[in-house]
Amino acid sequence: MKVLYFAWLRSKVGVAEEEVAPPAAVTDVAKLLDWLKTRGPRHAAALADLSAVRVAVNQDYARLHDKVGPGDEVALFPPVTGG
Amino acid sequence: MKVLYFAWLRSKVGVAEEEVAPPAAVTDVAKLLDWLKTRGPRHAAALADLSAVRVAVNQDYARLHDKVGPGDEVALFPPVTGG
Amino acid sequence: MIRVQREDFDPGAELARLTAGNHRIGGAVSFVGLVRDFGGDKAVRAMTLEHYPGMTEKQLAAIEREAGARWPLEASLIVHRYGRLALGERIVLVITASPHREAAFAACQFLVDWLKTKAPFWKLEETPDGAAWVEAREADDQAAAKWRQG
Amino acid sequence: MIRVQREDFDPGAELARLTAGNHRIGGAVSFVGLVRDFGGDKAVRAMTLEHYPGMTEKQLAAIEREAGARWPLEASLIVHRYGRLALGERIVLVITASPHREAAFAACQFLVDWLKTKAPFWKLEETPDGAAWVEAREADDQAAAKWRQG
């Protein structure tokens, strides 16, 4: 699974993109976010306030209960402030 | 007083513009329209249905009870169909 | 700024000129009206736009002032053509520029609605059946009326 | 038609290309968003617009399709820039063209509202106090929400 970070989430986590292999129990967005927090102190700090985090799965906006799996592209970013 | 005609009012009356000297009793738009009808059959035909005639006095839209006088520029035209 | 002219205009050049150097502008909305090939049910090939020289300029200037009083505009422009116009030709350009996109949209739509119902222009359309003066469209009057309630 | 690009665009040339030869178009509405010198209270000198390549294109195409389903559009275009943009530079262009001016206005405003709230762009503003990521503005979310009720 590929995880992408944008804007201040990228700065806080310290990488723009990483390949991860979460355990099989991680089946939806909520569980993935919980699991990502355990990867280290920077991940934990970046994801401390989930109200400021938006998620896309395979380039579509996703909600906490949406499914995620091994081949997916998951992106985490702040609320958009485009144009 | 100068009277201007536009669009099909011009075609029906047969002139684009005329100098007129209505009697002193012609003091408002309604009276001017009634008096113009008496100028000839083309005027009478053009002004037969006043619901299709709009009026401007000195280049501002005017109503039937608005005053008109000797020095004024009065324009008669159909409802506008601009742009 | 308003202009009434027989010649065509360049929407991109007008926009660039109007917004150049003004860094308070966040959004600019432009409307370009074109001669299209149906007025009601008939096939339109061209039209001639007659206007009332003098009154047109006076009324456009008044409408533009009113838009500037209602919305926080940094700049605005109305260019309206008259004379014979063939299918696809540009008729009118309205540009409004504001710090806020909502104001630019509202002011532009307000001006266009007014132009269609209040500016002293009359359309003579050329169709296969001959030339005919266009009658006023009730939907246009309603579009303009909504602003009077606002 | 959508494009996401680092380079500037020419609003007039894009409009001319989009409407050329289509005689069913009666009105075209263009929106150009510019970098302006206040984001909230701060003095903005420039900004960098980051986006999510791939998702941006996918979402813009979906939004444009939705506008085409809601309104009778003859043509539409979204061009969105990313990267560093100085004061006064063009950021985004939206053009909608329709037989009817009301549809062109509504669709253009719909697209701009959505771009501001749903397109995956993030603004990093340069101010005298340093660079700062812009926070989402509630007014923008409300502007987009009104379309969901429609």
Side-chain angles (χ1 to χ4, degrees):
Chain A
M1 181 188 299
K2 188 157 76 171
V3 180
L4 311 176
Y5 303 94
F6 291 96
W8 56 256
L9 269 158
R10 187 189 60 249
S11 325
K12 286 198 178 181
V13 171
V15 295
E17 175 174 341
E18 56 183 345
E19 275 292 330
V20 298
V26 171
T27 53
D28 67 18
V29 169
K31 287 172 187 149
L32 177 64
L33 292 172
D34 283 341
W35 180 78
L36 285 170
K37 284 185 198 170
T38 68
R39 284 176 62 81
R42 299 191 70 165
H43 285 74
L47 301 173
D49 176 13
L50 289 182
S51 76
V53 177
R54 298 291 177 273
V55 180
V57 175
N58 299 326
Q59 306 189 346
D60 278 318
Y61 289 101
R63 303 189 175 193
L64 290 175
H65 53 78
D66 285 333
K67 297 293 165 212
V68 292
D72 288 338
E73 175 177 305
V74 179
L76 309 189
F77 45 77
V80 303
T81 52
Chain B
M1 182 188 300
K2 187 158 76 172
V3 180
L4 311 176
Y5 303 94
F6 291 97
W8 56 256
L9 269 158
R10 186 190 59 248
S11 325
K12 287 198 178 182
V13 172
V15 296
E17 175 176 341
E18 56 184 344
E19 275 291 329
V20 298
V26 170
T27 54
D28 66 18
V29 169
K31 287 171 187 148
L32 176 64
L33 292 172
D34 283 341
W35 179 79
L36 285 170
K37 285 184 200 173
T38 69
R39 284 176 64 81
R42 299 193 68 164
H43 285 75
L47 300 174
D49 176 12
L50 288 182
S51 75
V53 177
R54 299 290 177 274
V55 180
V57 175
N58 298 326
Q59 306 188 347
D60 279 317
Y61 289 101
R63 302 189 177 193
L64 291 175
H65 54 78
D66 285 332
K67 297 290 166 216
V68 291
D72 288 337
E73 174 178 307
V74 179
L76 309 189
F77 44 77
V80 302
T81 52
Chain C
M1 218 162 50
I2 66 134
R3 283 185 352 242
V4 182
Q5 62 189 39
R6 194 179 283 276
E7 318 82 65
D8 194 14
F9 50 79
D10 179 338
E14 299 289 353
L15 175 66
R17 199 175 307 143
L18 197 69
T19 58
N22 184 339
H23 294 162
R24 292 182 302 279
I25 296 173
V29 174
S30 308
F31 175 84
V32 175
L34 304 166
V35 183
R36 68 184 164 120
D37 67 357
F38 59 98
D41 295 327
K42 304 174 301 292
V44 175
R45 294 179 296 193
M47 64 173 203
T48 297
L49 210 48
E50 177 174 336
H51 80 120
Y52 179 177
M55 180 169 175
T56 308
E57 289 81 354
K58 184 176 181 180
Q59 296 302 320
L60 295 199
I63 288 166
E64 193 192 39
R65 271 196 308 278
E66 185 173 338
R70 286 194 185 207
W71 289 281
L73 301 183
E74 288 290 332
S76 59
L77 173 68
I78 303 173
V79 182
H80 210 304
R81 296 176 69 190
Y82 63 90
R84 189 172 188 278
L85 298 166
L87 259 189
E89 278 199 72
R90 286 178 279 265
I91 308 168
V92 59
L93 171 68
V94 176
I95 308 180
T96 53
S98 171
H100 306 286
R101 68 182 191 277
E102 299 87 349
F105 269 112
C108 189
Q109 196 156 7
F110 165 83
L111 287 170
V112 173
D113 284 348
W114 272 78
L115 285 175
K116 297 270 179 177
T117 51
K118 290 288 179 176
F121 285 93
W122 301 274
K123 259 183 205 160
L124 182 72
E125 286 182 343
E126 300 174 21
T127 76
D129 303 329
W133 290 103
V134 175
E135 303 224 354
R137 194 164 71 103
E138 198 164 337
D140 282 330
D141 285 336
Q142 286 166 0
K146 77 171 185 250
W147 298 106
R148 288 196 283 274
Q149 299 155 4
Chain D
M1 218 165 47
I2 67 134
R3 283 184 353 240
V4 182
Q5 62 188 40
R6 192 179 284 275
E7 319 79 68
D8 193 13
F9 50 80
D10 178 339
E14 299 289 353
L15 175 66
R17 198 175 309 144
L18 196 69
T19 58
N22 184 338
H23 294 162
R24 291 181 303 277
I25 297 173
V29 175
S30 308
F31 175 84
V32 176
L34 304 165
V35 182
R36 69 186 163 118
D37 68 357
F38 58 98
D41 296 327
K42 304 173 302 292
V44 174
R45 293 178 297 192
M47 66 173 200
T48 297
L49 210 49
E50 179 176 333
H51 80 120
Y52 179 176
M55 180 169 174
T56 309
E57 290 80 355
K58 184 176 181 178
Q59 296 301 319
L60 295 199
I63 288 166
E64 193 192 39
R65 270 196 309 278
E66 186 173 339
R70 285 193 185 209
W71 290 281
L73 301 183
E74 287 290 331
S76 59
L77 173 68
I78 303 173
V79 182
H80 209 304
R81 295 177 68 190
Y82 62 90
R84 189 172 187 279
L85 298 166
L87 260 188
E89 279 199 70
R90 285 177 279 264
I91 308 169
V92 59
L93 170 68
V94 177
I95 308 181
T96 53
S98 171
H100 307 287
R101 67 181 192 278
E102 299 86 350
F105 269 112
C108 190
Q109 196 157 7
F110 165 82
L111 287 170
V112 173
D113 284 348
W114 271 78
L115 285 175
K116 297 270 179 179
T117 51
K118 290 288 180 177
F121 285 93
W122 301 275
K123 258 184 206 160
L124 183 70
E125 286 183 345
E126 299 172 23
T127 75
D129 303 329
W133 289 102
V134 174
E135 304 222 354
R137 193 164 73 103
E138 200 163 335
D140 283 330
D141 285 336
Q142 286 167 0
K146 76 170 185 251
W147 299 105
R148 288 195 286 273
Q149 296 155 6

